[in-house]
Amino acid sequence: MTSLLFIGFHVFLYFLGRGVFLTVCKLLKFEYKLDKKYIGNTKFEYFYPLIALFFIGNLTVAINFFIGTNNIILFVTVVLILFMNFLKTNLSLDKSSILYFGAIPFILSISSYGINLAQDAGLYHLNTQGWIREERIHFGLYNLHSRYGYSSLFDYISSNFWLEQNYLLLHFINLTFIVLFFIFLYSNLFLSTNTFLNNLSILVLIFGVLDNFGLSGGRNGFIDIEAVTKYDTPFAILYFLSGSLIINNLITKTFSTYDLLTIAYLLLFSLQLRIFAITLLPLFFLYLFKFVRKEDFKYAIKILITPIFFTFIWLLKNILISSCLFFPVKQTCLSFLPWSDVRSVALEAQELNIFHIYYSFDQNINSWLQNWLSKEINYSTFLNYFISLGVLFVFNLIIFKKSSKKINKNTQILIILSIIIPYIFWILSAPGIRFGLGLFLLSICLLSINYHNSTERFKVYVKFKSLTSFFIFLISIFLVIRLDTYSIFLNNFNLTNEISPTSIAYVDNNLGWGVVPQSGLSSCWVNIECIPVSKKIKKVDGFYNYFVNLD
């Protein structure tokens, strides 16, 4: 039953995204030609669920400026947009549609039988979503819990998919990104003549298979299916899609309005999930520079005005919640705001840095590396990652001839630098493996750059080649799910899985506003009045309430 529920959820998001697209076309009096367009080599329509999630998230942000979002407004809006699908009822289905609507969602849905809530769900994610549902935006909300300062778009999206005490649909949101990831790779591999994306996709799929072998049982930096409320994999997928599409367009010299807008929205979505997406800006500005050379600067600003507006609204939301443009970067905080507490922002950043063993310039780099590698997950992933890259390099060397048609040397150098720079930021901030997944995937582009317009060294029977590639594709999907989950699925496939929170008791915060967990542990689970530890919190009432930390 859970598998059927996810397929239905995926279809719902598809038609919602389609309705959003048709609504925009109707309002702006566009033709429906974009409906037959491609993003890279992937049908535009396969991005409809992503459009739906982006729309739901940003609409939730807008509504939350005025009221809590657990009301009929969003529901009515969604229903009206779904009806827009009747403007254009003809749907084009082909063989890849069977994979997109059926096979891939079905396989991935099996993960639901072995999934549970993440530790961070009880720590802050569920309460972040609770605040969004129950209250209009409260200024200085991060004073209650420093993690509220992150307020990712993923929490705004997730806040709309609570089923009473069952958070199964929050897991489905993660799976929606993974469906897109695999159909993107499939389209590049089987439905494309673009040799760069074709080569990149087969390398990524092999990388995914290799993720299951190696030191400590594997794990080389490929995506994984996470506990509920974590969104490292959705971010990694958006990061990879944004970066690889920019690199592809730079190589193929594709600088159209459609491509620029597509990349801008993917990049914005990435940024709204995690601040690390800023590291893609050098690549984006390189692409924008080349676009402007073809068109002009005023035209570029004109077509980017809407994503710029969304970015402004997002930054305003960040300031109201945390006093910072980008939390927890204290240099971006506005200390004059009454709810600002730059000291606690700095402490949060420091705690994040130290936990993930960051590098600072006063350290000896060899000592830092030894310290970083002393963490088991870092050591095993680091080793498995470079072994996997070595295998991919040898695979390319054996199977393909390098292209005789070279890309511009300056462009190639700038692309390489644009991938090296994010590694520097990652190491200097929070070099946790889960934060680097998108970067690890994007780095595979560097192995594919010299194989655009390449040819195979050996003439292989076309059907054999297709069957082998499809086998690798399927194995990569099957292995992204924990193997023990399949046995749970076989024993419970007729049941609907439930993912429920822990129930705990609370006592009053004797130092100020709110309550704290009676157990003394920091996880509040689902109670928006709960703060993790007793501290001096003052709530200032007004048209917009705000919280002040008096500690």
Side-chain angles (χ1 to χ4, degrees), residues 102-265:
I104 297 175
F106 177 78
I107 295 169
L108 293 176
S109 69
I110 293 172
S111 66
S112 305
Y113 291 87
I115 208 73
N116 218 321
L117 285 165
Q119 181 181 350
D120 284 348
L123 191 63
Y124 70 101
H125 279 301
L126 292 178
N127 263 353
T128 298
Q129 295 166 30
W131 274 102
I132 295 166
R133 288 169 60 84
E134 302 301 330
E135 299 282 343
R136 78 174 78 180
I137 191 170
H138 277 46
F139 302 174
L141 193 64
Y142 83 119
N143 284 310
L144 301 184
H145 194 310
S146 60
R147 300 287 179 87
Y148 289 164
Y150 294 105
S151 60
S152 167
L153 190 70
F154 199 82
D155 283 320
Y156 281 88
I157 295 168
S158 299
S159 68
N160 298 288
F161 292 101
W162 287 21
L163 293 175
E164 297 299 331
Q165 292 295 300
N166 187 357
Y167 300 112
L168 179 63
L169 296 188
L170 275 59
H171 177 56
F172 287 175
I173 297 170
N174 276 46
L175 296 186
T176 300
F177 286 87
I178 302 176
V179 172
L180 175 62
F181 176 71
F182 280 111
I183 202 67
F184 176 79
L185 298 178
Y186 175 86
S187 301
N188 292 332
L189 197 55
F190 296 100
L191 309 176
S192 163
T193 57
N194 182 314
T195 50
F196 167 73
L197 288 177
N198 184 286
N199 182 266
L200 174 64
S201 295
I202 189 63
L203 293 188
V204 170
L205 288 170
I206 295 172
F207 187 71
V209 174
L210 293 173
D211 182 57
N212 299 275
F213 305 94
L215 192 65
S216 299
R219 186 174 175 94
N220 61 6
F222 191 64
I223 63 168
D224 58 3
I225 296 178
E226 306 166 285
V228 176
T229 70
K230 294 177 77 69
Y231 52 89
D232 302 306
T233 287
F235 173 76
I237 290 169
L238 281 177
Y239 192 94
F240 168 72
L241 290 175
S242 304
S244 60
L245 287 172
I246 295 173
I247 292 172
N248 175 64
N249 288 355
L250 288 170
I251 291 173
T252 58
K253 298 180 180 178
T254 306
F255 306 109
S256 68
T257 301
Y258 168 74
D259 287 290
L260 179 61
L261 268 175
T262 298
I263 290 167
Y265 277 108

Side-chain angles (χ1 to χ4, degrees), residues 5 13 33 67 92 99 176 226 238-239 293 309 336 342 349 361 385 417 421 448 450-451 453 460 465 495 525:
L5 186 60
L13 288 181
K33 293 178 182 177
I67 53 173
S92 56
L99 280 172
T176 300
E226 306 166 285
L238 281 177
Y239 192 94
R293 286 180 65 182
F309 173 75
F336 60 84
V342 178
F361 291 114
Y385 175 65
L417 287 175
I421 290 171
S448 298
N450 290 324
Y451 292 90
N453 293 316
V460 182
K465 175 188 169 185
L495 302 177
W525 288 101

